[in-house]
Amino acid sequence: MYAESVSVVAGAVVWTRSAGPGAGPVLPDGCMDLLWSEGRLFVAGPDTHAHTPAAGGAWAGVRFAPGSAPAVLGVPAHELRDRRVELADLWGDADARRLAERIGEAPDEAAELEAIALERSVPPDPLLGAVVRHLDAGGTVAAAADAAGLGARQLHRRSLDAFGYGPKTLARILRLQRALALVRRGVPYGDAAHRAGCADQAHLAREMRALAGITLGAYEALAKSETPSPSGSRTTA
């Protein structure tokens, strides 16, 4: 059973998944997560392809908005690309153990995890926010760079640190998520492709295979069989 709610951390989502069969694949979404399960803390880095979570176990997570997690975690996003790592590897054993004990003693583990994320959060970078907004609206990378007042090389460098990959990859991932949001609402594939910014349905199908590793039909079937987040809960392998 999966549930999520808007977090008090700006732009973030708090989610929980109870123990049970393995969930469907986690698709790239431009986000990073702080995770808690069975007394341990993890970080899910930004994905460039689908990730299959492990079966069983209860999980809680804080999914940060694109570009906001590196300031909280203290590590550039590209160092965590396509990785799941223990928080101890980033913050040290002592800090990770102390925080894990704090969560374990709390009456609401997800709420305590969110409180820790809030304590570490910093105001969002307005330049990165402008980049995400332009790309998520279907704008070009050049337009996003202009909106942020950055040159192409500056934008690429900032994007690697903030999102884990360059702005073109982020634009593809956000476009795919727009299309899948429409598919979940019952919009026909061709219409979803056009409205999301793909050239046609075949283009969307290719992006789905490249980034998600499954077909649109398989994704739609999974979405109907459970109540996932747009990309699923980002548990460890």
Side-chain angles (χ1 to χ4, degrees), residues 23-37:
V26 179
L27 307 189
D29 58 5
C31 300
M32 297 173 61
D33 292 49
L34 180 61
L35 307 169
W36 159 265
S37 181

Side-chain angles (χ1 to χ4, degrees), residues 67-86:
S68 61
V72 177
L73 300 173
V75 59
H78 65 82
E79 294 186 10
L80 300 174
R81 183 172 54 237
D82 294 320
R83 297 177 62 198
R84 272 63 176 159
V85 302
E86 294 210 30

Side-chain angles (χ1 to χ4, degrees), residues 56-168:
W59 290 84
V62 175
R63 181 178 303 116
F64 296 95
S68 61
V72 177
L73 300 173
V75 59
H78 65 82
E79 294 186 10
L80 300 174
R81 183 172 54 237
D82 294 320
R83 297 177 62 198
R84 272 63 176 159
V85 302
E86 294 210 30
L87 188 65
D89 293 340
L90 305 181
W91 291 358
D93 290 336
D95 277 353
R97 188 182 310 110
R98 175 178 56 81
L99 294 173
E101 290 173 353
R102 171 179 160 184
I103 294 171
E105 294 169 355
D108 185 331
E109 295 167 347
E112 197 64 28
L113 181 68
E114 180 184 27
I116 290 169
L118 181 62
E119 291 168 4
R120 303 264 179 160
S121 66
V122 298
D125 186 332
L127 293 183
L128 297 177
V131 169
V132 173
R133 285 192 299 274
H134 275 262
L135 295 180
D136 200 28
T140 65
V141 171
D146 288 343
L150 299 172
R153 291 184 179 179
Q154 288 178 307
L155 176 60
H156 188 79
R157 184 170 60 251
R158 293 282 293 270
S159 294
L160 288 177
D161 288 344
F163 310 121
Y165 26 66
K168 290 184 179 180

